């Protein structure tokens, strides 16, 4: 038995680098240089005669997702806030949020002055379920946020049935699911609003950035104003030298506008997205063949209604006891050392996350009273705990190389497992 790399042995993979993310080339540089030379670095600046890049990107992103409307914003976090504000979420309201996700959806609810109500997730996918969403509803529920986590899609049929019956709008957080499709439609297009992040690590990256998509023209008008200090695009074309935003004042906004430089990067990146999806699936198929042969491991399941997933973090489930009593964090360290690649367990569920500390900010502390806190995080999160203890994740960039890379992942899992089996 060869020694584990964490114990000083030779790693499974030591002679080849992993692909780099993000992917860029001379065309990316040209787009950014053109944006710089235009002198127009923000939507809020006189037009150079062409449509703003953030507006062009919004149109392209709407088209990609088969929806009529999209508003570009500066972060996925802002997209969540704008979506909730467009739906008129405010003080006294509750919003259902899955316990297993990045902290941003919860923060966005608090920023509206509303109470996030954390609900449990499916232990095999980390996504909220129809039952967990139903259990989180109350007469105060103003919206439900669902997150399509990692490389899967939440059960949109079941969850939409629950939210529609309750008459509550669904916000789809697609920050980890660009391009995933559910029964013929793009995720984000099934709920009232879909939100995206284009942060550096996401499947579509622009450094920082986000977007809100919707089919509803009223939500579109509101979202535009919420992100541009109560201004929206004019109805007419804008000649050079004139502002491409007009004061509308139907709803008070703030500034969450996407920079023109980020939009330039995104305009370069978007046409590459589908080929990257196909590439990742090719390598993932190799990996899944290897996992099936190895036994005891399987990919995080994808519901059959999702005819395309989007791999943001690839997740591998392992059976209880595979690594003896060793916790997932230590297993992940050992596998990472074999691969020279960051492999990690899911984040801690938000109910016990160090990032969720509303009492440290006065504005949030007012919401996070003893009663509020009990309503927000006082449930059973055993599904989330199970998920956190039985999955290993790695970043999608690792799937953009040679399909033979998959064999290294399988070999590393086998080596670490066999080591622990021998103990
Ligand atoms: C990344 C992410 C966000 C936040 O996006 P930012 O652009 O970093 O603000 C929100 N929700 C989920 C699920 C994410 O993964």
């Amino acid at each position: 038995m060869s020694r584990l790399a964490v114990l000083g042995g030779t790693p499974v993979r030591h002679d080849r680098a992993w692909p780099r993310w993000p992917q860029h080339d001379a065309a990316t540089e040209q787009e950014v240089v053109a944006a710089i030379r235009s002198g127009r670095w923000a939507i809020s600046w006189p037009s150079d005669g062409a449509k703003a890049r953030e507006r062009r990107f919004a149109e392209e992103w709407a088209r990609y997702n088969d929806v009529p409307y999209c508003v570009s914003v500066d972060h996925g976090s802002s997209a969540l806030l704008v979506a909730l504000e467009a739906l008129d979420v405010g003080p006294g309201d509750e919003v259902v949020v899955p316990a297993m996700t990045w902290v941003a959806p919860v923060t966005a609810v608090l920023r509206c002055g509303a109470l996030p109500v954390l609900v449990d997730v499916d232990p095999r996918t980390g996504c909220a379920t129809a039952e967990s969403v139903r259990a989180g509803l109350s007469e105060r529920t103003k919206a439900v946020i669902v997150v399509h986590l990692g490389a899967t899609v939440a059960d949109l049929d079941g969850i939409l049935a629950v939210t529609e019956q309750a008459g509550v709008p669904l916000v789809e957080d697609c920050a980890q699911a660009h391009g995933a499709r559910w029964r013929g439609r793009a995720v984000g297009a099934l709920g009232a609003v879909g939100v995206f992040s284009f942060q550096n690590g996401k499947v579509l990256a622009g450094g920082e950035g986000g977007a809100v998509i919707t089919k509803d023209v009223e939500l579109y008008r509101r979202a535009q104003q919420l992100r541009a200090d109560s201004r929206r695009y004019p109805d007419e074309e804008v000649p050079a030298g004139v502002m491409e935003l007009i004061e509308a004042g139907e709803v008070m906004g703030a500034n969450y506008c996407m920079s023109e430089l980020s939009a330039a990067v995104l305009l370069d990146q978007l046409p590459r997205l589908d080929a990257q999806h196909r590439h990742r699936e090719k390598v993932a198929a190799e990996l899944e063949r290897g996992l099936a042969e190895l036994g005891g491991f399987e990919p995080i399941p994808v519901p059959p209604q999702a005819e395309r997933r989007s791999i943001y973090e690839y997740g591998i489930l392992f059976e209880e006891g595979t690594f003896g009593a060793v916790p997932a964090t230590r297993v992940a360290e050992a596998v990472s050392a074999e691969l020279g690649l960051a492999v990690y367990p899911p984040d801690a569920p938000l109910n016990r996350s160090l990032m969720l500390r509303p009492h440290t900010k006065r504005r949030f502390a007012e919401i996070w009273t003893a009663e509020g806190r009990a309503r927000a995080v006082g449930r059973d999160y055993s599904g989330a705990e199970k998920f956190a203890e039985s999955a290993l994740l790695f970043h999608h960039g690792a799937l953009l190389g040679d399909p033979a890379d998959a064999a290294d992942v399988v070999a590393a899992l086998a080596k670490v497992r066999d080591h622990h089996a021998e103990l």
Side-chain angles (χ1 to χ4, degrees), residues 89-363:
V89 172
D93 296 334
E94 292 180 358
V95 178
V96 172
V97 184
M100 183 53 72
T101 182
W102 187 241
V103 72
V106 170
T107 312
V109 175
L110 291 166
R111 288 168 79 187
C112 291
L115 183 72
V117 172
L118 270 61
V119 299
D120 202 14
V121 299
D122 184 326
R124 291 173 51 77
T125 64
C127 294
T129 65
E131 298 73 53
S132 72
V133 168
R134 187 184 292 113
L137 296 176
S138 79
E139 60 289 353
R140 298 187 212 170
T141 309
K142 189 70 181 257
V144 169
I145 299 176
V146 65
V147 178
H148 305 304
L149 197 69
T152 192
V153 181
D155 171 22
L156 281 171
D157 291 354
I159 291 169
L160 277 167
V162 169
T163 55
E164 278 165 13
Q165 196 198 10
V168 171
L170 181 68
V171 175
E172 288 181 76
D173 182 341
C174 309
Q176 306 190 2
H178 314 68
R181 298 186 73 85
W182 183 270
R183 292 204 287 112
R185 291 157 76 190
V187 300
L190 288 100
V193 192
V195 303
F196 295 86
S197 163
F198 307 118
Q199 192 273 341
N200 215 139
K202 304 294 159 100
V203 164
L204 181 60
E208 300 275 9
V212 177
I213 65 170
T214 183
K215 302 178 289 292
D216 185 311
V217 67
E218 277 309 310
L219 291 177
Y220 174 58
R221 270 179 89 94
R222 285 175 65 84
Q224 284 186 61
Q225 295 172 53
L226 286 163
R227 73 87 166 75
D229 290 316
S230 319
R231 295 169 299 167
R232 65 171 175 84
Y233 302 130
D235 298 320
E236 310 78 34
E237 277 197 24
V238 176
V242 173
M243 289 285 276
E244 207 172 338
L245 290 169
I246 55 168
E247 294 176 13
E250 294 160 341
V251 55
M252 180 148 180
N255 183 3
Y256 305 116
C257 291
M258 177 186 281
S259 155
E260 288 294 282
L261 305 185
S262 292
V265 175
L266 286 164
L267 284 166
D268 165 79
Q269 294 286 303
L270 177 52
R272 306 168 192 250
L273 179 58
D274 280 337
Q276 290 168 344
H277 278 309
R278 287 191 295 273
H279 193 133
R280 282 187 285 259
E281 285 298 346
K282 203 166 93 185
V283 183
E286 276 305 309
L287 177 53
E288 283 160 22
R289 259 193 293 278
L291 293 177
E293 253 171 56
L294 181 60
F297 296 91
E298 57 182 315
I300 287 175
V302 183
Q305 298 97 322
E307 67 263 19
R308 186 164 87 177
R309 65 179 168 183
S310 174
I311 302 175
Y312 166 63
E313 283 174 323
Y314 191 88
I316 298 169
L317 296 175
F318 53 90
E319 286 167 7
E320 205 176 327
T322 302
F323 302 96
V326 177
T329 43
R330 292 245 327 272
V331 172
E333 279 166 24
V335 177
S336 300
E338 296 301 336
L339 291 172
L341 173 74
V343 176
Y344 42 91
D347 289 330
L350 286 171
N351 55 292
R352 60 176 179 84
S353 168
L354 196 57
M355 288 180 286
L356 183 60
R357 287 290 180 271
H359 59 278
T360 59
K361 185 176 271 188
R362 270 177 60 201
R363 191 152 50 90

